[in-house]
Amino acid sequence: MTEIIIAGIGQTDVGEHWGRSLRDLAVEAILQALDDAGGLRPQMLVVGNMLAPLLSNQSHLGALLADYAGLNGIEAYTVEAADASGAAALRQAWIAVRSGFVDAALAVGVEKATDRIGADLELALATLTDSDYELEQGLTPAAQAALLARRYLHDFQLPRESLGVFPQLAHAHAVDNPHAMFRRAISAELYARAATTQAPLNVFDGAPFADGAAAVLLTRADLLPANFPHPRVAIRGSATVTDALALHDRPDPLDFRAARLSAQKALTQAGYNHIEEMDFFEYSDTYSIYAALSLEAVGAAPRGGAPQRASTGAFNRDGRLPCATLGGLKARGHAGGATGLYQAVEAALQLRGQAGPAQLASARRGLIQSLGGPASVAITHLLERLT
Amino acid sequence: MEVPRHWRLKKQRYALVGEVCPHCEAKIFPPRDVCPECGGEAKTTFQFSGRGEVYSFTTIYNPPRGFEENVPYTVALVKLDEGPIVTAQLTDVDAEQVEIGMPVEMVTRRLRQDGDERGVIIYGYKFRPRSLAS
Ligand SMILES: [Zn+2]
C-alpha cells in the first residue's frame, strides 16, 4: 500500500483576531506547514472554508491564498462542506496524492468568523441548514442542536446537566494547548449555573465560532526528503458519508448515521474493526449533544449512554478512549472551515509525540471525525504512526 | 429580492402539499420527486392532513436577520400523522406550555417580512395546539 504521509503541519492560535485578515491567518498556517515539511513544495492547494463569501465578502480563495503564500501558479480551489470543510480539503488532498496525479498537496482550512456579529452572523450560519425548509422557519444551527438535545434528554430520561461532562472534558484538555481559545478548566458547578442560550443548551454547550487557520502538507512516503525530521504519520483511512441535510428528513434524528458509517469505512480501510482499537478519537463537539451522539454513533458508548460513560473518565486523556485531547471544538475553538485541519494537526502532534504536556501516554493510531452541521456530512480519517 | 423563490414554494408553504410514492406508498414532505425510501420517481401530489405531534422544540432569542421581529419564537420538529417530520414554528401557545408529544395542527400564518424596501410578506405553515381546534 502506498502510504500517504503528513509531511508538514501548521496552525494559528484560535480566537478573535480583530487585527488579522483571512489571508494573513491562512498564509501563517501554510508557511508553518511548508517549513515543518523541510522544503517540500506542493503542486496543489485545497482550501477548506465554510462562509468566506458571506462573512468576508471573499470568494475564490484558491487563487488568493496560493498567490499570497508564494505558491502562485499551482492548482488551487476551495471545497465546502459546512463545518467539515477542512476535513473535505484534507480528503481531496489525500485523493490527489493517493491517485498519483499529484506528488505533494497542501490542505489549508481558514475561517474569519468575527467580522460579522448578531443577526447577520446568525443568518450566515443558518444558510448551512436547509434554506427553504429550516432557515425559512427561523431555525439556526444552535437551534438544531437544541432540538436534538431536548429529544435526547427526554428519550433517555437524563438530567439536563448530564451533557456538561463534554465541555468540562474539553476545557480541562485545552489547558495544555497553547493554540486553544479557552485554556481554563470549568467546574460542574460553573456549568450548572451558566446562562441558558438556546434551551435546553447553555453557553458552555456550544463551541465558540472563532478565527483561525490550520494546514497539512501530504506526500507519498517515497517522496519524503532523506533527512525528514519527524516520525512518519500516515493517513490510512479516509471516508466521507452524507446524510439528509435537514434534521426533519431523517427517520431517526438522534442517529448520526453519517458519523457511524464514515467511521466504519475509515476503520475498515486501515484494517481495523472497532473504535476501541484506536488510541484516541477526535470527535466534533460543535455542541455537547454532538459529542454524545458521535460517541454513540461510532460505538464508543451505547445509545443514551455517552454522558454516563464520559463521567467515568473513559474519554479523558488517561481514559480508555481519549477524546478532544487538545480541547476539541469547544475549548480549542471552532474555526469553521479550519476545524477539520486543526483535528489533523493535533492528531499528528499526538502521533509524532510532539503534543507537549497534552501528550498521550500511548498514541499509535487515532480517528478524527469532522461533522458538517448535525452530521449532515461526516468525514473521518484514520491516522497512524509508521514503524 | 427573492420573490421567485417564495412563489416557487408557495404550494408547499401554504397548504402542506407533498407527494406520495407510487412504488412504496411513502408519504413525502417536502416534495422532492425522488422517493427517499425506495429511490423511485415520486411525483404524485399528496395533501397532508396537517395533524401531528411535537417531536422536539426550542425557543429562539438569537435569530437570523429577517426574524428579529418574531423574537422570541418557538420552532419545533413536528411528526406528522402520515409519517414525515417537518420543521415549523409553533403559534397560539406559550413557550412554557409546549411539551414533547403535544398534538398540533397546521395553520397558515405570516412567517416574516422579506428584508427589503418592497416589503414582501412571507406566509407559510405554522402549527398550533390541536386542542384549540373547533
Ligand atoms: Zn418509494
Side-chain angles (χ1 to χ4, degrees):
Chain A
M1 162 164 168
T2 307
E3 299 288 1
I4 307 304
I5 306 295
I6 293 184
I9 56 178
Q11 60 178 326
T12 72
D13 293 349
V14 181
E16 295 175 339
H17 295 295
W18 304 113
R20 306 196 59 195
S21 67
L22 181 134
R23 71 187 74 182
D24 284 348
L25 294 165
V27 167
E28 178 185 335
I30 290 171
L31 295 183
Q32 274 186 37
L34 294 176
D35 186 52
D36 185 62
L40 270 173
R41 302 296 285 179
Q43 296 92 50
M44 179 184 190
L45 173 67
V46 190
V47 182
N49 174 265
M50 190 163 92
L51 288 169
L54 295 176
L55 297 179
S56 310
N57 289 339
Q58 183 66 67
S59 298
H60 207 172
L61 298 178
L64 176 73
L65 299 180
D67 183 29
Y68 270 72
L71 300 169
N72 191 323
I74 71 169
E75 176 176 2
Y77 26 71
T78 304
V79 295
E80 184 267 314
D83 315 76
S85 298
L90 179 65
R91 177 164 162 77
Q92 290 304 313
W94 181 83
I95 287 173
V97 176
R98 185 89 169 76
S99 72
F101 282 109
V102 170
D103 286 341
L106 186 61
V108 64
V110 61
E111 206 72 46
K112 185 68 190 149
T114 57
D115 280 353
R116 294 274 190 282
I117 56 167
D120 290 328
L121 176 59
E122 293 298 335
L123 176 59
L125 291 168
T127 64
L128 301 169
T129 71
D130 181 330
S131 184
D132 283 350
Y133 293 100
E134 293 185 312
L135 169 53
E136 205 50 66
Q137 293 287 335
L139 196 71
T140 61
Q144 287 181 317
L147 289 169
L148 290 175
R150 189 182 305 275
R151 185 72 195 198
Y152 181 83
L153 297 173
H154 172 268
D155 279 5
F156 299 107
Q157 302 190 312
L158 296 170
R160 191 252 153 285
E161 290 76 23
S162 62
L163 293 172
V165 66
F166 299 107
Q168 284 174 61
L169 176 159
H171 277 252
H173 288 176
V175 169
D176 297 316
N177 179 359
H179 300 290
M181 186 165 180
F182 295 130
R183 300 187 63 194
R184 200 162 54 86
I186 58 170
S187 65
E189 294 68 38
L190 186 64
Y191 175 84
R193 284 203 316 269
T196 298
T197 47
Q198 183 67 61
L201 305 180
N202 74 30
V203 66
F204 287 117
D205 284 305
F209 186 48
D211 305 333
V216 165
L217 179 62
L218 301 181
T219 193
R220 295 201 308 274
D222 59 291
L223 297 173
L224 282 175
N227 59 346
F228 183 67
H230 309 293
R232 294 176 307 155
V233 173
I235 297 182
R236 309 199 73 196
S238 171
T240 303
V241 174
T242 52
D243 200 344
L245 176 60
L247 280 181
H248 56 236
D249 282 328
R250 306 183 194 175
D252 177 2
L254 294 180
D255 175 18
F256 271 9
R257 180 180 145 272
R260 183 174 75 248
L261 297 177
S262 73
Q264 275 171 8
K265 280 186 168 184
L267 286 165
T268 302
Q269 283 170 22
Y272 298 103
N273 298 308
H274 199 274
I275 185 76
E276 297 291 343
E277 294 170 87
M278 298 297 106
D279 296 322
F280 62 89
F281 175 44
E282 294 294 340
Y283 53 45
S284 281
D285 53 339
T286 330
Y287 297 93
S288 54
I289 179 67
Y290 293 5
L293 295 177
S294 295
L295 285 163
E296 294 169 17
V298 304
R303 287 197 73 175
Q308 193 279 330
R309 187 155 293 182
S311 70
T312 68
F315 308 125
N316 295 351
R317 278 206 299 257
D318 59 357
R320 278 188 62 184
L321 182 68
C323 293
T325 66
L326 285 150
L329 279 64
K330 173 64 196 77
R332 174 235 297 126
H334 178 22
T339 284
L341 284 156
Y342 275 99
Q343 291 180 315
V345 167
E346 291 164 358
L349 288 172
Q350 290 288 6
L351 295 167
R352 287 174 172 185
Q354 298 172 348
Q359 183 63 49
L360 297 172
S362 167
R364 287 283 314 281
R365 57 193 69 91
L367 210 61
I368 61 176
Q369 183 171 70
S370 196
L371 303 182
S376 302
V377 66
I379 304 178
T380 308
H381 287 92
L382 192 151
L383 278 59
E384 186 159 20
R385 187 176 73 230
L386 301 182
T387 49
Chain B
M1 174 51 65
E2 294 187 285
V3 166
R5 183 161 76 101
H6 298 308
W7 171 256
R8 214 160 52 232
L9 293 168
K10 80 183 167 65
K11 243 171 47 181
Q12 296 92 292
R13 286 258 182 78
Y14 288 5
L16 218 59
V17 173
E19 291 163 336
V20 58
C21 175
H23 311 288
C24 77
E25 303 286 297
K27 311 298 190 295
I28 303 164
F29 190 87
R32 48 170 68 198
D33 295 354
V34 177
C35 175
E37 299 292 329
C38 72
E41 187 177 87
K43 290 184 168 174
T44 313
T45 296
F46 179 81
Q47 174 67 58
F48 281 85
S49 68
R51 285 191 298 273
E53 63 172 52
V54 172
Y55 173 89
S56 193
F57 64 96
T58 187
T59 300
I60 292 175
Y61 291 85
N62 299 305
R65 178 74 64 214
F67 291 86
E68 295 96 324
E69 67 184 53
N70 303 39
V71 167
Y73 55 94
T74 298
V75 177
L77 292 172
V78 173
K79 185 153 178 60
L80 299 173
D81 286 356
E82 295 88 348
I85 301 176
V86 296
T87 300
Q89 287 183 26
L90 300 181
T91 187
D92 303 345
V93 63
D94 288 338
E96 301 75 47
Q97 281 158 7
V98 180
E99 52 187 45
I100 287 175
M102 188 174 82
V104 291
E105 66 181 358
M106 193 208 85
V107 290
T108 303
R109 292 288 162 82
R110 171 191 168 125
L111 281 176
R112 66 180 176 90
Q113 191 157 343
D114 206 356
D116 76 3
E117 70 282 358
R118 285 154 82 177
V120 175
I121 294 172
I122 315 296
Y123 288 91
Y125 49 77
K126 293 188 183 183
F127 284 78
R128 68 180 177 191
R130 207 186 304 170
S131 51
L132 292 182
S134 51

